[in-house]
Amino acid sequence: MMPPDLVSNLQEALLNRKGVQPQHQEQESNDNAETSEPVEVEIDPLKPIILVINSDGVDSPGLTNIVEALVREGLYNVHVCVPQSDKSVSGHSVTLRETVEASSANISGATAFEISGTPVDCVSLALSGALFSWSKPTMVISGINRGSSCGHHMFYSGVVAGAREALLCGVPSLSISLNWRKDESQETDFKDAATVCLPLINAAIRDIEKGAFPKSCFLNIEIPTSPLSNKGFKLTKQSMWRSTPNWLAVSTNRYPAGHFLANQQGGLGIQFAQLGRDASAAGAARRLTTQKKNLEIVESIGAAGKSDSKKVKKYFRLEFLEKQQEDTDSDDLDYRALESGYVTVTPLSISPHIETDIQMAASDWVSTMLPGEQ
């Protein structure tokens, strides 16, 4: 006869190999799940709180590099709230009539969460006081986005929408994008982009605390393709520039490799992403799993309806064609200045009636903060 303790240990090992948890361990695990809370980085009451959000998830190199730069400064309490999956073209969409899940994420030096919502949800939830121990940070930074958000792209952009939502909630904000080019840009450009915009962030926070930062607008910052070769900062206006949307008819294999379409946001915003944007294989694998779940939900909803042999079904995929130039030679428009190598600073308001006022306020602030810049 084997000792009782050895028998018990062997049984436990066999159960674990089969994926079955011993009852007492399962109970202990459940107890821990009910009582444990994510570990937060201790808040220094003497340091400003910065909330960083983005539109393409926790593995985005843009997020990684801007958070690392802020943490390295040692001047701020950095908190992060980002979507669980890519919501880069979600616009100002929100999640209604669905439960939003928030999961703690491991980002060195910051307290971070991923949520099953949009960039606007990230800001709204974070500022509600329900997720973090505070409800109003000093500033919200949205980005760094992969790709320009100039011109009409601001209406589609999830990263711009996040900054806009912060302004709606009365919190100063910046949205930041890198003018990424597929065959020219490298992941290290995000580190350079963070380096370029960090002085502006530091100056903005100092002036927010002094009450000198413009209150009627947020700033959209566009970093040129070669960040360290930029020609300086330039105050610009939103242009009419846009890419041309192109709807392609596709076969019944309606989810080509690297793309997905989801309908979980109730049509409030376009949900489109490319898996190639993921910063790592691990991130891509997790996003693919999430996307497959989304597709299963969409397909199961369709399958639940009554079959109708006479119903015509067609499938389409949205793509954006090459950039469409605008019919103006003005050099103070965001897209033209960005293409010329400037870091563009575009003040954006939630009111269409005060454009001149916000341009003047932003111009005064940029002139004070960056003497000699345009």
Side-chain angles (χ1 to χ4, degrees):
M1 295 290 292
M2 291 187 291
D5 289 345
L6 179 58
V7 172
S8 177
N9 290 338
L10 286 173
Q11 288 175 337
E12 188 172 302
L14 288 171
L15 287 172
N16 286 336
R17 286 188 62 183
K18 293 178 181 179
V20 179
Q21 217 174 20
Q23 187 172 1
H24 70 278
Q25 286 189 359
E26 183 177 354
Q27 181 63 41
E28 182 180 347
S29 175
N30 290 338
D31 291 343
N32 288 339
E34 293 173 0
T35 60
S36 63
E37 294 182 358
V39 177
E40 294 191 14
V41 176
E42 186 176 350
I43 293 179
D44 185 339
L46 300 179
K47 296 180 180 179
I49 295 174
I50 296 181
L51 172 66
V52 183
I53 71 113
N54 73 356
S55 61
D56 47 359
V58 73
D59 295 312
S60 162
L63 178 80
T64 300
N65 282 283
I66 192 64
V67 171
E68 285 181 354
L70 292 169
V71 170
R72 193 164 49 244
E73 286 288 284
L75 301 174
Y76 312 116
N77 295 294
V78 182
H79 290 69
V80 176
C81 187
V82 295
Q84 288 177 349
S85 59
D86 197 317
K87 295 290 190 295
S88 294
V89 201
S90 59
H92 210 101
S93 60
V94 296
T95 303
L96 295 175
R97 293 178 291 276
E98 293 182 20
T99 300
V100 172
E101 175 188 272
S103 304
S104 59
N106 185 19
I107 299 181
S108 179
T111 299
F113 284 91
E114 299 177 279
I115 74 166
S116 59
T118 68
V120 173
D121 290 329
C122 291
V123 175
S124 181
L125 177 59
L127 301 187
S128 70
L131 184 63
F132 297 111
S133 59
W134 45 263
S135 60
K136 190 170 183 179
T138 303
M139 168 172 275
V140 172
I141 297 174
S142 185
I144 301 172
N145 189 58
R146 184 192 295 259
S148 164
S149 298
C150 287
H152 282 184
H153 280 205
M154 293 182 190
F155 299 115
Y156 299 102
S157 171
V159 77
V160 172
R164 187 188 303 117
E165 180 68 14
L167 180 62
L168 284 168
C169 296
V171 179
S173 59
L174 306 175
S175 54
I176 306 172
S177 298
L178 170 66
N179 191 22
W180 178 272
R181 295 188 184 279
K182 182 179 179 182
D183 299 321
E184 182 179 343
S185 299
Q186 304 177 33
E187 299 294 310
T188 54
D189 291 333
F190 286 103
K191 182 176 181 179
D192 296 338
T195 300
V196 167
C197 62
L198 190 59
L200 187 144
I201 293 172
N202 290 336
I205 292 175
R206 285 196 302 268
D207 282 359
I208 289 170
E209 294 183 317
K210 296 176 184 177
F213 189 80
K215 295 180 174 63
S216 56
C217 64
F218 68 96
L219 302 181
N220 182 53
I221 315 299
E222 300 284 331
I223 312 292
T225 305
S226 300
L228 298 184
S229 300
N230 74 81
K231 296 180 180 179
F233 289 81
K234 188 179 185 71
L235 183 70
T236 55
K237 299 177 182 179
Q238 182 181 359
S239 65
M240 300 294 287
W241 170 83
R242 63 177 295 192
S243 295
T244 304
N246 184 44
W247 285 96
L248 300 175
V250 297
S251 66
T252 52
N253 180 22
R254 54 197 184 280
Y255 308 120
H259 296 76
F260 78 97
L261 286 170
N263 191 30
Q264 284 196 291
Q265 300 302 327
L268 292 174
I270 297 173
Q271 311 290 318
F272 180 79
Q274 292 179 298
L275 292 179
R277 289 181 171 184
D278 289 302
S280 64
R286 187 180 67 221
R287 280 171 168 68
L288 182 58
T289 301
T290 302
Q291 292 153 15
K292 285 181 177 178
K293 290 180 180 178
N294 290 347
L295 297 179
E296 289 171 2
I297 292 172
V298 173
E299 291 181 344
S300 66
I301 291 173
K306 295 181 179 179
S307 60
D308 187 350
S309 58
K310 296 182 180 180
K311 183 181 292 185
V312 176
K313 291 185 178 181
K314 297 182 179 182
Y315 302 99
F316 301 89
R317 184 177 75 236
L318 175 63
E319 292 183 347
F320 286 97
L321 300 181
E322 285 301 315
K323 299 167 181 176
Q324 178 176 307
Q325 301 286 347
E326 51 189 13
D327 299 326
T328 179
D329 293 326
S330 177
D331 60 359
D332 65 346
L333 297 177
D334 53 9
Y335 174 66
R336 193 168 297 280
L338 179 66
E339 289 293 300
S340 298
Y342 288 98
V343 179
T344 66
V345 182
T346 307
L348 298 172
S349 172
I350 52 180
S351 171
H353 306 298
I354 58 173
E355 180 179 348
T356 303
D357 294 340
I358 66 170
Q359 280 290 134
M360 291 181 60
S363 178
D364 291 343
W365 182 77
V366 170
S367 299
T368 303
M369 187 269 299
L370 298 167
E373 299 291 349
Q374 300 187 37

